[in-house]
Amino acid sequence: METESIPHTALVKAVNYDGTVHRSFSSLDADVVLGAKDHTLFHIHSWTLKTTSGWFRSLFSMPQQNPLPNHPELINLDEDSHTLESLLLMISGLPINPLTSYDEVDALLFAAEKYEMPGPISLIRVLIMTPPLLDQPLRLYAAATRCGWEEEARHASVQSLALNIYAEEHQPILRKLHTGAVLDLMNLHRNRREGIRQRLNEQPFVTGSTTASCPRCRWKVDHRTWRELKYRVVMEMDVRPLGDTVVDVGLTGWPEAIACWDARCPNTECTSMLYDKAETLRLIRDCIDGLPKTT
């Protein structure tokens, strides 16, 4: 995975090492130099690393060779320069880089966890709840469940209701989740679909056999149009469990809905409407509003 590189204006040529030094981390009195895998160098004080990172605190507690005068110790790391820059800005109290993609978030979280840096992790937790990261609920859910952020995971699960998580495009993200997180999300989506299916088969909705009597003239009627509408509602909830396309569009514009609201008693002397459109819409909306909304 490639990440954004640091602008050339932020770099200066290193004097004693093979690489370029980041301008924000070029202090001459720093006693440590961190090297990114693309040969960008970061001069930083060991005190900063020891007080913000459990990994570096353990490293510096080990016996060290005496460094040469004016020649800080060089530690080469696996991270690219952009990730390392973002991480060091966070622990140094400097203005931080905005996070604009989950590729950046994942790389930064991995590095912060690796070096045991709770400060950057807490900052990332705040930043993922801001635009433009909020419009990717599955990536947010993946990060939140991996880090144990329950509130953020619940928020992401609510946002995921606008997605068909079974679509092929979402499979790569779902494969990265641990089993429990995937099951929780799938159960939420399934329970909303099955919940509306169950409610539509209960009172006060039309239930029972395929044929019944007109409530006005007792003539035999077939509730075929209602069954077809129910099926369409359930299928729509399967691909978009949020239910907004059902109540805002489907129940007024679907061919199944139009046929249902136009259905009349077949008795030519009666021809009364079989279904109360306004009341049925209200009841279905209430049913959807009462479904579980989060994992």
Side-chain angles (χ1 to χ4, degrees), residues 13-19 21 41 43 69-72 74:
K13 183 65 179 178
V15 177
N16 297 319
Y17 304 98
D18 181 18
V21 178
L41 304 177
H43 290 231
N70 300 320
H71 198 285
L74 173 63

Side-chain angles (χ1 to χ4, degrees), residues 25-27 29-34 42-49 52 72-73 88-89 91-92:
F25 297 94
S26 58
S27 174
D29 62 347
D31 57 344
V32 174
V33 176
L34 301 180
F42 298 81
H43 290 231
I44 190 168
H45 294 274
S46 60
W47 185 86
T48 300
L49 295 173
T52 58
E73 180 180 4
L88 296 181
L89 289 174
I91 67 172
S92 300

